[in-house]
């Protein structure tokens, strides 16, 4: 999950004034989704007679904190979902919209209502969510949460703190060996909610520091929060500058978390599958086509027929900081001022998962 997904470096100002705010990401929302991001954190405000994405303060959007009308970003999400009929996206809204029915009308106008996961079907007491396969078959492929409680009854938008557990955001969330519950959230070890969103970003985002933050410290914090949540692995991992790392990185940790949850291995690439006819488990997941992997992970929630903990012996990349102080990217990036896509051929992986067994990388 990308923290402040819309707050993009070099995004042009549509208000004709110099923007004065912090930036959290480096590429478009479309590119984030193409790279494997499946969760977006969006701050929405009433502004100029519309609903805008703003990185602001005091609950008010200003021309120097405004990015763009929210419908522009939501249409990017709609395009992605329509072109990728087996993918699921989650949106968490920091909600400052006071216009009656403003949010629900916004999503309808963006064409996203046809993918809506209905609040009535969401587990209310910590029960399991449907599998990814079930959600895809029902076309319930968009989960939306708001920070305003009244909108669940008024607009059918799920109240975030009813369904999601969170650790503290900002500097308290990156302090080593500490994973405190966010004050709005129920305790992390509560069993009354079945989704866990792990925040891992400092209060003041610095691009160059993200390389260090997303290496060994991130992996250590996942372990700390896993224990704090009563041995519950995060479903969402919210970060700034998601492509940056000095070894390891968020996609590496995604694979590690999903491997542990799916098959008890230290990476999803080590999960083994069984041949349908021979019932032998000699192959790793990455030796099969993505369609084969996807069908089995969705249908069964684990590699087909393989005993839990049956892992292929593979070499794991180091998550220790590299000597290259510039860090590295994983995936591809299209910067907001560039008309072309720039590819960084470093490690890149996408996990296929089922809620709540698998991690959504937000």
């Amino acid at each position: 999950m990308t923290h402040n997904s819309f707050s993009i470096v070099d995004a042009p100002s549509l208000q004709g004034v110099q923007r004065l705010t912090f930036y959290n990401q480096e590429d478009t929302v479309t590119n984030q989704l193409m790279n494997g991001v499946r969760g977006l954190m969006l701050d929405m405000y009433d502004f100029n007679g519309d609903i805008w994405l703003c990185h602001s303060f005091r609950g008010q959007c200003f021309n120097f904190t405004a990015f763009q009308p929210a419908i522009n970003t939501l249409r990017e999400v709609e395009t992605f979902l329509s072109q990728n009929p087996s993918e699921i996206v989650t949106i968490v809204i920091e909600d400052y919209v006071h216009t009656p029915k403003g949010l629900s009308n916004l999503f309808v106008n963006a064409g996203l209502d046809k993918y809506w996961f209905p609040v009535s079907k969401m587990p209310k007491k910590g029960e399991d969510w449907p599998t990814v396969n079930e959600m895809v078959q029902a076309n319930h492929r968009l989960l939306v949460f708001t920070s305003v409680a009244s909108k669940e009854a008024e607009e059918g938008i799920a109240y975030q703190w009813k369904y999601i557990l969170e650790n503290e955001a900002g500097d308290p969330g990156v302090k080593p060996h500490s994973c405190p519950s966010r004050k709005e959230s129920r305790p992390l070890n509560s069993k009354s909610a079945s989704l866990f969103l792990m925040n891992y970003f400092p209060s003041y985002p610095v691009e160059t520091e993200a390389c260090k933050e997303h290496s060994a410290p991130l992996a250590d914090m996942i372990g700390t929060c896993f224990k704090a949540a009563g041995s519950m692995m995060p479903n969402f991992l919210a970060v700034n500058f998601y492509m940056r790392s000095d070894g390891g990185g968020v996609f590496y940790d995604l694979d590690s978390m999903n491997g542990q949850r799916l098959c008890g291995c230290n990476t999803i690439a080590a999960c083994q599958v069984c041949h349908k006819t021979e019932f032998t488990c000699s192959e790793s997941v990455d030796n099969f086509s993505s369609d084969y992997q996807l069908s089995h992970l969705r249908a069964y929630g684990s590699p087909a027929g393989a005993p839990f903990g049956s892992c292929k012996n593979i070499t794991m990349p180091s998550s220790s900081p590299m000597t290259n102080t510039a860090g590295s990217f994983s995936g591809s990036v299209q910067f907001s001022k560039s008309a072309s896509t720039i590819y960084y051929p470093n490690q890149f992986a996408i996990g296929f998962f089922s809620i709540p067994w698998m991690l959504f990388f937000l």
Side-chain angles (χ1 to χ4, degrees), residues 184-263:
E184 301 92 340
S185 172
R186 302 175 193 184
L188 293 185
N189 59 2
S190 170
K191 302 303 180 183
S192 58
S194 50
L195 296 178
F196 175 21
L197 192 164
M198 176 183 153
N199 294 299
Y200 189 78
F201 48 84
S203 299
Y204 302 104
V206 180
E207 289 176 85
T208 53
E209 290 298 309
C211 293
K212 177 177 65 177
E213 294 161 359
H214 292 167
S215 300
L218 173 57
D220 291 342
M221 185 58 70
I222 291 171
T224 298
C225 287
F226 173 77
K227 294 177 182 178
S231 299
M232 181 179 182
M233 195 71 78
N235 300 95
F236 305 95
L237 178 60
V239 297
N240 295 328
F241 310 119
Y242 70 99
M243 290 181 292
R244 289 181 175 263
S245 74
D246 274 346
V250 290
F251 288 109
Y252 165 88
D253 291 319
L254 168 76
D255 283 355
S256 297
M257 296 166 72
N258 284 339
Q260 293 173 41
R261 296 301 296 269
L262 268 181
C263 63

Side-chain angles (χ1 to χ4, degrees), residues 49-360:
D50 202 349
I51 298 175
W52 277 60
L53 299 175
C54 298
H55 198 184
S56 200
F57 52 92
R58 295 182 180 176
Q60 183 177 353
C61 183
F62 304 92
N63 60 357
F64 57 87
T65 61
F67 278 82
Q68 63 173 330
I71 196 168
N72 295 348
T73 294
L74 295 184
R75 283 172 175 160
E76 291 184 72
V77 176
E78 196 285 326
T79 297
F80 176 80
L81 288 173
S82 66
Q83 293 177 351
N84 298 272
S86 60
E87 298 301 328
I88 295 170
V89 173
T90 300
I91 296 176
V92 177
I93 302 170
E94 189 172 323
D95 192 348
Y96 301 99
V97 177
H98 303 289
T99 302
K101 304 291 184 181
L103 282 188
S104 53
N105 289 334
L106 173 67
F107 280 89
V108 169
N109 292 337
L112 286 170
D113 53 314
K114 57 183 173 289
Y115 306 112
W116 199 267
F117 192 105
V119 171
S120 61
K121 295 184 180 296
M122 291 186 176
K124 303 295 192 294
K125 298 179 180 179
E127 306 95 332
D128 285 343
W129 286 70
T131 65
V132 165
N133 195 43
E134 291 167 342
M135 294 169 71
V136 168
Q137 289 178 350
N139 205 30
H140 294 159
R141 299 190 290 120
L142 179 67
L143 285 76
V144 182
F145 299 92
T146 173
S147 57
V148 177
S150 61
K151 292 191 179 180
E152 179 160 327
E154 295 170 356
E155 302 190 51
I157 304 174
Y159 179 46
Q160 174 182 359
W161 305 112
K162 192 173 180 179
Y163 304 92
I164 300 176
L165 306 172
E166 283 194 33
N167 66 313
E168 193 61 71
D171 289 344
V174 297
K175 182 180 179 181
H177 315 300
S178 174
C179 188
S181 301
R182 187 165 174 167
K183 63 179 182 296
E184 301 92 340
S185 172
R186 302 175 193 184
L188 293 185
N189 59 2
S190 170
K191 302 303 180 183
S192 58
S194 50
L195 296 178
F196 175 21
L197 192 164
M198 176 183 153
N199 294 299
Y200 189 78
F201 48 84
S203 299
Y204 302 104
V206 180
E207 289 176 85
T208 53
E209 290 298 309
C211 293
K212 177 177 65 177
E213 294 161 359
H214 292 167
S215 300
L218 173 57
D220 291 342
M221 185 58 70
I222 291 171
T224 298
C225 287
F226 173 77
K227 294 177 182 178
S231 299
M232 181 179 182
M233 195 71 78
N235 300 95
F236 305 95
L237 178 60
V239 297
N240 295 328
F241 310 119
Y242 70 99
M243 290 181 292
R244 289 181 175 263
S245 74
D246 274 346
V250 290
F251 288 109
Y252 165 88
D253 291 319
L254 168 76
D255 283 355
S256 297
M257 296 166 72
N258 284 339
Q260 293 173 41
R261 296 301 296 269
L262 268 181
C263 63
C265 301
N266 58 0
T267 175
I268 198 169
C271 295
Q272 299 191 104
V273 297
C274 296
H275 298 287
K276 291 181 179 179
T277 54
E278 299 175 3
F279 293 100
T280 59
C281 303
S282 58
E283 301 292 337
S284 65
V285 169
D286 57 348
N287 286 341
F288 289 84
S289 70
S290 59
D291 288 342
Y292 181 85
Q293 294 178 39
L294 184 58
S295 63
H296 281 293
L297 293 179
R298 283 189 170 142
Y300 306 112
S302 62
F308 192 83
S310 177
C311 308
K312 183 181 179 182
N313 186 18
I314 64 172
T315 301
M316 296 288 289
S318 171
S319 60
S320 302
M322 297 180 189
T323 56
N324 177 10
T325 57
S328 60
F329 284 106
S330 36
S332 62
V333 56
Q334 181 172 338
F335 293 100
S336 54
K337 287 187 177 179
S338 173
S340 60
T341 300
I342 306 169
Y343 292 96
Y344 294 85
N346 296 357
Q347 59 181 337
F348 175 60
I350 300 176
F352 300 105
F353 17 87
S354 104
I355 298 176
W357 274 74
M358 302 302 293
L359 164 75
F360 276 103

